[in-house]
Amino acid sequence: MSDQPEQRCQRCKRLGHEVPFEYCFTQESDQVCPEILNCWWERFDVRTCLADRLGKDVVKELESPRQQQPKILGLLELIEQAKKRQVKPSGE
Ligand code: SF4
């Protein structure tokens, strides 16, 4: 049995089903999920693992206050981004 962190799985609170650790830093165009430290810290040394693979700057960014914003602010940002992506009807 492999003990590689990438092979470890747990239930994702966003998706509602099991995902391997690797998914958490390769999802959505190779972006790191902002929840990755909260989700995995009890399973193994996720900070060191990410620092080794992606660099210490990535871990610092994940620990920054912006990453720890309340869920409602994150949702509002997603809504704003979706509005900006909407295609305007022709003739306007
Ligand atoms: S880090 Fe993100 S994608 Fe991975 S289990 Fe947690 S919420 Fe799901």
Side-chain angles (χ1 to χ4, degrees), residues 12-14 19 23-24 27 33 35-36 39-40:
C12 173
K13 60 187 172 188
R14 290 183 162 188
V19 296
Y23 170 80
C24 304
Q27 56 160 11
C33 177
E35 296 292 331
I36 198 165
C39 285
W40 292 96

Side-chain angles (χ1 to χ4, degrees), residues 8-75:
R8 296 180 187 193
C9 293
Q10 72 171 320
R11 188 177 184 281
C12 173
K13 60 187 172 188
R14 290 183 162 188
L15 301 175
H17 58 79
E18 270 203 5
V19 296
F21 174 63
E22 185 177 22
Y23 170 80
C24 304
F25 61 89
T26 59
Q27 56 160 11
E28 298 171 19
S29 306
D30 288 341
Q31 290 189 355
V32 180
C33 177
E35 296 292 331
I36 198 165
L37 298 180
N38 290 331
C39 285
W40 292 96
W41 71 271
E42 292 176 291
R43 306 284 304 276
F44 62 96
D45 185 359
V46 63
R47 282 179 176 77
T48 301
C49 181
L50 289 175
D52 290 346
R53 285 165 175 74
L54 308 174
K56 290 180 180 176
D57 289 347
V58 171
V59 176
K60 278 186 185 171
E61 177 67 23
L62 288 166
E63 293 173 326
S64 72
R66 187 186 181 292
Q67 290 294 335
Q68 297 170 5
Q69 66 187 351
K71 278 186 180 176
I72 188 69
L73 294 179
L75 288 173

